[in-house]
Amino acid sequence: MVNRVLIVEDEPRIASFLEKGLRAEGFTPTVVSSGVIGLDYALTGEFDLAILDIGLPDIDGYTVLKRMRGSGSSLPVIVLTARDSVTDTVRGLEGGADDYMPKPFRFAELLARVRLRLRGSSAAGEEKTVIEGGNVRLDLVRREVTVAGRAVELSAREFLLAEMFLRHPGQVLSREQLLSHVWGYEFDPGSNIVDVYVGYLRKKLGASLITTVRGMGYRFDLA
Ligand code: CA
Protein backbone atom coordinates (compact mmCIF):
# COMPACT_ATOMS: atom_id res chain seq x y z
CA MET A 1 0.00 0.00 0.00
CA VAL A 2 1.53 3.26 -1.14
CA ASN A 3 0.79 6.31 0.92
CA ARG A 4 0.70 9.55 -1.02
CA VAL A 5 1.76 12.55 1.01
CA LEU A 6 1.22 16.15 -0.03
CA ILE A 7 3.91 18.52 1.27
CA VAL A 8 3.01 22.22 1.19
CA GLU A 9 6.23 23.99 2.17
CA ASP A 10 7.96 26.97 0.54
CA GLU A 11 11.38 26.60 2.17
CA PRO A 12 13.38 24.45 -0.29
CA ARG A 13 15.68 22.95 2.33
CA ILE A 14 12.83 21.71 4.51
CA ALA A 15 10.73 20.59 1.52
CA SER A 16 13.61 18.53 0.17
CA PHE A 17 14.40 17.10 3.63
CA LEU A 18 10.78 15.94 3.92
CA GLU A 19 10.56 14.66 0.38
CA LYS A 20 13.78 12.61 0.56
CA GLY A 21 12.99 11.26 3.99
CA LEU A 22 9.45 10.18 3.10
CA ARG A 23 10.57 8.63 -0.16
CA ALA A 24 13.24 6.62 1.66
CA GLU A 25 10.50 5.28 3.96
CA GLY A 26 8.38 4.10 1.03
CA PHE A 27 5.91 6.97 0.78
CA THR A 28 5.11 8.84 -2.42
CA PRO A 29 5.56 12.55 -1.66
CA THR A 30 4.52 15.52 -3.80
CA VAL A 31 5.91 18.97 -2.98
CA VAL A 32 4.24 22.27 -3.72
CA SER A 33 5.42 25.66 -2.44
CA SER A 34 2.21 27.68 -2.73
CA GLY A 35 -0.90 27.70 -0.57
CA VAL A 36 -3.27 28.08 -3.53
CA ILE A 37 -1.78 25.13 -5.39
CA GLY A 38 -1.57 23.15 -2.15
CA LEU A 39 -5.30 23.68 -1.61
CA ASP A 40 -6.08 22.55 -5.17
CA TYR A 41 -4.00 19.41 -4.73
CA ALA A 42 -5.46 18.66 -1.31
CA LEU A 43 -8.96 18.74 -2.76
CA THR A 44 -8.20 16.29 -5.59
CA GLY A 45 -8.69 13.29 -3.31
CA GLU A 46 -5.39 11.90 -4.60
CA PHE A 47 -3.59 12.10 -1.25
CA ASP A 48 -3.66 10.17 2.01
CA LEU A 49 -2.15 12.90 4.16
CA ALA A 50 -0.90 16.51 3.95
CA ILE A 51 2.00 18.22 5.70
CA LEU A 52 1.18 21.91 5.70
CA ASP A 53 3.44 24.84 6.54
CA ILE A 54 1.82 27.93 8.08
CA GLY A 55 4.01 30.63 6.50
CA LEU A 56 3.48 30.42 2.73
CA PRO A 57 4.03 33.11 0.08
CA ASP A 58 0.40 33.49 -1.08
CA ILE A 59 -2.33 32.26 1.25
CA ASP A 60 -1.13 30.98 4.63
CA GLY A 61 -1.56 27.48 6.04
CA TYR A 62 -4.54 28.49 8.22
CA THR A 63 -6.43 29.66 5.16
CA VAL A 64 -5.58 26.51 3.23
CA LEU A 65 -6.81 24.38 6.12
CA LYS A 66 -9.99 26.41 6.61
CA ARG A 67 -10.87 26.19 2.93
CA MET A 68 -10.09 22.47 2.87
CA ARG A 69 -12.37 21.76 5.80
CA GLY A 70 -14.96 24.18 4.38
CA SER A 71 -14.97 22.12 1.17
CA GLY A 72 -15.67 18.98 3.15
CA SER A 73 -12.16 17.49 2.89
CA SER A 74 -11.26 15.19 5.78
CA LEU A 75 -7.68 14.63 4.58
CA PRO A 76 -5.43 14.21 7.65
CA VAL A 77 -3.24 17.32 8.04
CA ILE A 78 -0.07 17.81 10.06
CA VAL A 79 0.70 21.51 10.43
CA LEU A 80 4.30 22.74 10.66
CA THR A 81 4.51 25.50 13.24
CA ALA A 82 7.24 27.72 14.67
CA ARG A 83 8.77 26.18 17.81
CA ASP A 84 7.72 29.03 20.09
CA SER A 85 4.38 29.87 18.59
CA VAL A 86 1.58 28.58 20.79
CA THR A 87 -0.76 30.72 18.70
CA ASP A 88 0.17 28.82 15.52
CA THR A 89 -0.51 25.53 17.23
CA VAL A 90 -3.84 26.53 18.74
CA ARG A 91 -5.08 28.17 15.54
CA GLY A 92 -3.93 25.17 13.53
CA LEU A 93 -5.74 22.68 15.73
CA GLU A 94 -8.87 24.82 15.92
CA GLY A 95 -8.76 25.16 12.15
CA GLY A 96 -8.97 21.40 11.75
CA ALA A 97 -5.36 20.19 11.84
CA ASP A 98 -4.99 16.64 13.12
CA ASP A 99 -1.56 17.23 14.54
CA TYR A 100 1.24 19.75 14.51
CA MET A 101 5.01 19.62 14.32
CA PRO A 102 7.08 22.45 15.78
CA LYS A 103 10.08 23.58 13.68
CA PRO A 104 12.90 22.71 13.73
CA PHE A 105 12.18 19.00 13.98
CA ARG A 106 13.92 15.70 13.48
CA PHE A 107 12.64 13.54 10.68
CA ALA A 108 11.94 10.68 13.08
CA GLU A 109 9.49 12.84 15.05
CA LEU A 110 7.62 13.83 11.91
CA LEU A 111 7.61 10.24 10.63
CA ALA A 112 6.08 9.00 13.89
CA ARG A 113 3.24 11.52 13.47
CA VAL A 114 2.74 10.60 9.82
CA ARG A 115 2.54 6.90 10.68
CA LEU A 116 0.15 7.58 13.53
CA ARG A 117 -2.18 9.61 11.31
CA LEU A 118 -2.13 7.07 8.51
CA ARG A 119 -2.79 4.23 10.91
CA GLY A 120 -6.09 5.89 11.81
CA SER A 121 -7.23 6.00 8.18
CA SER A 122 -8.53 3.13 6.10
CA ALA A 123 -5.64 3.48 3.66
CA ALA A 124 -3.07 2.50 6.27
CA GLY A 125 -1.52 -0.91 6.61
CA GLU A 126 -0.80 -2.58 9.91
CA GLU A 127 1.86 -0.68 11.75
CA LYS A 128 4.17 -2.74 13.91
CA THR A 129 4.66 -1.71 17.52
CA VAL A 130 7.51 -4.15 18.09
CA ILE A 131 10.41 -4.54 15.71
CA GLU A 132 13.03 -7.24 15.95
CA GLY A 133 16.33 -7.89 14.27
CA GLY A 134 18.68 -10.67 15.29
CA ASN A 135 18.42 -10.85 19.07
CA VAL A 136 17.49 -7.16 19.41
CA ARG A 137 13.90 -6.29 20.17
CA LEU A 138 12.46 -2.75 20.28
CA ASP A 139 9.05 -2.07 21.75
CA LEU A 140 8.10 1.22 20.09
CA VAL A 141 5.16 1.90 22.38
CA ARG A 142 6.79 1.11 25.72
CA ARG A 143 10.17 2.40 24.49
CA GLU A 144 11.84 -0.73 25.80
CA VAL A 145 14.84 -2.50 24.35
CA THR A 146 16.05 -6.02 24.96
CA VAL A 147 19.07 -7.87 23.64
CA ALA A 148 18.69 -11.65 23.88
CA GLY A 149 15.89 -11.08 26.39
CA ARG A 150 17.97 -8.81 28.60
CA ALA A 151 16.74 -5.19 29.11
CA VAL A 152 19.08 -2.46 27.84
CA GLU A 153 18.82 1.26 28.58
CA LEU A 154 18.99 3.51 25.53
CA SER A 155 18.79 7.31 25.43
CA ALA A 156 16.12 8.86 23.21
CA ARG A 157 18.58 9.44 20.35
CA GLU A 158 20.08 5.97 20.67
CA PHE A 159 16.59 4.54 20.51
CA LEU A 160 15.78 6.45 17.31
CA LEU A 161 19.05 5.37 15.76
CA ALA A 162 18.43 1.73 16.73
CA GLU A 163 14.90 1.94 15.29
CA MET A 164 16.25 3.30 12.00
CA PHE A 165 18.72 0.40 11.74
CA LEU A 166 16.15 -2.25 12.64
CA ARG A 167 13.67 -0.93 10.11
CA HIS A 168 16.31 -1.22 7.37
CA PRO A 169 18.19 -4.47 7.99
CA GLY A 170 20.94 -5.31 5.55
CA GLN A 171 20.70 -1.86 3.96
CA VAL A 172 23.53 0.68 3.95
CA LEU A 173 22.40 3.89 5.63
CA SER A 174 24.51 6.97 4.95
CA ARG A 175 25.66 9.32 7.70
CA GLU A 176 23.50 12.02 6.10
CA GLN A 177 20.39 9.82 6.25
CA LEU A 178 21.03 8.92 9.87
CA LEU A 179 21.82 12.51 10.79
CA SER A 180 18.68 13.96 9.24
CA HIS A 181 16.55 11.19 10.67
CA VAL A 182 17.74 11.33 14.24
CA TRP A 183 19.12 14.84 14.64
CA GLY A 184 17.29 16.95 12.06
CA TYR A 185 18.03 19.22 9.13
CA GLU A 186 19.53 21.93 11.31
CA PHE A 187 22.45 19.75 12.30
CA ASP A 188 25.93 20.31 10.89
CA PRO A 189 26.55 17.57 8.29
CA GLY A 190 30.29 17.78 9.03
CA SER A 191 29.71 16.59 12.57
CA ASN A 192 30.89 13.14 13.65
CA ILE A 193 27.96 12.70 16.04
CA VAL A 194 26.57 9.78 14.02
CA ASP A 195 29.84 7.87 14.39
CA VAL A 196 29.90 8.60 18.10
CA TYR A 197 26.34 7.30 18.57
CA VAL A 198 26.94 4.21 16.44
CA GLY A 199 29.78 3.53 18.87
CA TYR A 200 27.36 3.81 21.82
CA LEU A 201 24.90 1.44 20.13
CA ARG A 202 27.60 -1.12 19.42
CA LYS A 203 28.53 -1.10 23.09
CA LYS A 204 24.95 -1.54 24.20
CA LEU A 205 23.54 -3.87 21.54
CA GLY A 206 26.59 -5.83 20.47
CA ALA A 207 29.64 -4.82 18.48
CA SER A 208 29.02 -7.14 15.54
CA LEU A 209 25.52 -5.88 14.71
CA ILE A 210 26.47 -2.67 12.93
CA THR A 211 29.00 -2.88 10.13
CA THR A 212 30.93 0.14 8.88
CA VAL A 213 30.75 0.37 5.09
CA ARG A 214 33.76 2.44 4.18
CA GLY A 215 32.93 5.71 2.44
CA MET A 216 29.20 4.95 2.51
CA GLY A 217 27.85 4.61 6.00
CA TYR A 218 26.59 1.81 8.23
CA ARG A 219 24.64 -1.37 7.83
CA PHE A 220 22.69 -3.36 10.41
CA ASP A 221 23.43 -7.05 9.94
CA LEU A 222 21.12 -9.74 11.25
CA ALA A 223 23.53 -12.63 11.25
CA1 CA B 1 7.35 28.79 5.18
Side-chain angles (χ1 to χ4, degrees):
M1 184 72 215
V2 172
N3 285 305
R4 296 147 306 174
V5 179
L6 175 63
I7 301 165
V8 188
E9 168 61 82
D10 61 318
E11 200 176 316
R13 192 168 58 124
I14 299 176
S16 138
F17 165 78
L18 289 170
E19 186 184 19
K20 278 193 218 160
L22 287 170
R23 203 177 292 286
E25 293 297 323
F27 295 89
T28 302
T30 299
V31 175
V32 298
S33 56
S34 128
V36 172
I37 297 171
L39 178 62
D40 274 355
Y41 276 46
L43 294 178
T44 58
E46 296 287 312
F47 294 94
D48 302 306
L49 179 126
I51 297 171
L52 177 64
D53 187 30
I54 292 296
L56 294 165
D58 44 10
I59 57 171
D60 67 20
Y62 303 127
T63 309
V64 174
L65 192 56
K66 218 171 98 191
R67 293 192 191 163
M68 273 175 70
R69 297 306 184 223
S71 305
S73 167
S74 57
L75 181 69
V77 174
I78 299 172
V79 162
L80 303 180
T81 66
R83 177 68 69 179
D84 301 324
S85 177
V86 177
T87 317
D88 273 4
T89 307
V90 171
R91 281 188 67 189
L93 292 173
E94 281 178 349
D98 299 279
D99 206 344
Y100 66 94
M101 184 77 249
K103 289 179 177 181
F105 54 88
R106 290 172 282 149
F107 186 73
E109 296 175 291
L110 191 269
L111 184 61
R113 284 168 163 80
V114 167
R115 290 202 162 116
L116 184 70
R117 290 303 144 200
L118 288 173
R119 200 187 304 160
S121 75
S122 57
E126 280 293 301
E127 177 63 26
K128 283 190 257 179
T129 57
V130 172
I131 44 178
E132 289 179 274
N135 58 6
V136 182
R137 184 176 187 276
L138 294 190
D139 186 322
L140 302 175
V141 176
R142 302 164 70 96
R143 312 301 282 179
E144 287 170 355
V145 187
T146 57
V147 178
R150 185 176 47 89
V152 172
E153 289 285 327
L154 295 187
S155 70
R157 296 243 157 138
E158 289 166 353
F159 193 95
L160 289 175
L161 192 60
E163 182 184 343
M164 182 75 169
F165 278 121
L166 263 78
R167 282 189 188 275
H168 303 91
Q171 191 181 323
V172 179
L173 300 172
S174 68
R175 281 183 181 75
E176 188 197 15
Q177 269 177 303
L178 295 169
L179 189 68
S180 73
H181 193 92
V182 178
W183 284 270
Y185 53 90
E186 301 251 303
F187 222 84
D188 172 17
S191 153
N192 72 341
I193 191 133
V194 171
D195 311 84
V196 171
Y197 270 75
V198 165
Y200 295 159
L201 273 192
R202 280 177 172 148
K203 273 196 197 121
K204 293 185 175 183
L205 304 183
S208 63
L209 286 175
I210 303 167
T211 305
T212 303
V213 183
R214 196 172 287 274
M216 292 179 73
Y218 295 102
R219 189 182 63 223
F220 181 77
D221 287 316
L222 291 179

